[in-house]
Amino acid sequence: MPAPTAAPALFDVKSASLTLEAFVLKTGNLTALAQALDERFGATPDLFNGEPVVIDLTHLASLDVAIDFPALIGLLQKYQLKPVAVRGTTRKQSDAAQAAGLVEAPDSHAAPARVETVEVVREVVREVVREVPVEVEVPVAATTLIIDKPLRSGQQVYAKGGDLIVTAVVNHGAEVIADGSIHVYAPLRGKAIAGAKGNTQARIFATCMEPELLSIAGTYRTTDNPLPDSVRGKPAQIRLDGERLVFEPIS
């Protein structure tokens, strides 16, 4: 009779490094936070698409601000963010967070690791940061998404982490979104949202600028405020100067 063989392992437990968003909270006033989030992300409520986030309370730990974590979790979930952990907390804040189902991220009671930050919400929430919670930071390579077919009303294209190039018309009711810049080599008649996660250097280019809405890093303009005659219906670029959109024709 042959000797019995060992059963194959049905699972393994291994270490893993994950890239997470850190939601840096600077207020305990969730009413004010809800208003700021709506101003920043109200036009694109599905922008984050269920991404896990770490709630960073570093700015509030020294004040020992009490946080209503169930309410905060529900507010972030409204914008498709999935809170999974906290960091930078006091012991009392950490206990409240764990009672709400959040885990404590490494170094939660220590100074935060060096990360790249970008401004995303004025006044209340000033930054969303991308980091790898390990000793060695891993850079995220920018990518470019190219779309060569017309976009119809109701269609949405999102270039996550890079630029978006569209070589066909973006019709009324369509939406193009990019973390970087947007280039439309055709009429732009729908919504264009560049610098979606706070990149203030992003720009919007079109060979025929006729958009329903333009937005760069949260600063936006709609058809309620018509474009200047020098760029409306013409080749043009849009850039951000402070908190003001600048419109420039392309000759």
Side-chain angles (χ1 to χ4, degrees), residues 7-246:
L10 300 182
F11 67 90
D12 288 314
V13 178
K14 297 181 178 180
S15 62
S17 297
L18 301 177
T19 300
L20 299 177
E21 300 284 353
F23 187 86
V24 182
L25 188 64
K26 293 189 174 182
T27 180
N29 186 337
L30 298 190
T31 300
L33 178 62
Q35 181 178 353
L37 286 169
D38 182 66
E39 291 175 357
R40 176 65 180 87
F41 301 120
T44 55
D46 298 326
L47 175 63
F48 293 101
N49 195 28
E51 293 183 21
V53 295
V54 176
I55 299 174
D56 190 328
L57 299 182
T58 303
H59 292 278
L60 301 179
S62 62
L63 303 177
D64 199 18
V65 175
I67 304 296
D68 184 347
F69 282 101
L72 176 59
I73 291 170
L75 181 58
L76 296 182
Q77 288 176 337
K78 178 181 176 181
Y79 296 94
Q80 301 299 311
L81 288 167
K82 183 176 180 59
V84 296
V86 292
R87 55 173 274 172
T89 61
T90 64
R91 179 55 59 190
K92 187 180 299 184
Q93 291 168 341
S94 178
D95 291 343
Q98 292 183 55
L102 302 176
V103 300
E104 186 174 316
D107 300 324
S108 180
H109 298 281
R114 180 178 61 82
V115 295
E116 178 186 357
T117 65
V118 292
E119 180 180 329
V120 295
V121 179
R122 296 188 296 275
E123 301 301 330
V124 179
V125 181
R126 297 294 295 183
E127 53 194 353
V128 167
V129 296
R130 180 171 293 278
E131 64 174 358
V132 180
V134 293
E135 293 182 0
V136 179
E137 294 185 2
V138 178
V140 179
T143 58
T144 299
L145 176 63
I146 300 176
I147 302 296
D148 56 9
K149 295 181 180 179
L151 296 177
R152 301 185 303 274
S153 177
Q155 290 185 305
Q156 182 189 83
V157 175
Y158 174 29
K160 183 175 181 179
D163 294 347
L164 174 62
I165 297 175
V166 184
T167 62
V169 61
V170 179
N171 284 298
H172 294 291
E175 191 171 67
V176 287
I177 305 171
D179 289 344
S181 296
I182 295 174
H183 307 254
V184 181
Y185 298 107
L188 170 58
R189 295 170 180 153
K191 298 178 180 179
I193 301 167
K197 292 190 178 178
N199 180 1
T200 57
Q201 301 303 308
R203 300 191 180 195
I204 299 173
F205 304 85
T207 57
C208 181
M209 190 70 74
E210 301 175 330
E212 295 174 312
L213 177 144
L214 294 167
S215 175
I216 299 178
T219 299
Y220 67 92
R221 182 166 177 156
T222 67
T223 52
D224 294 336
N225 189 6
L227 296 180
D229 291 337
S230 61
V231 300
R232 185 170 63 248
K234 301 174 182 177
Q237 69 163 321
I238 315 297
R239 60 182 177 86
L240 195 60
D241 183 6
E243 295 184 355
R244 180 175 65 94
L245 292 176
V246 177

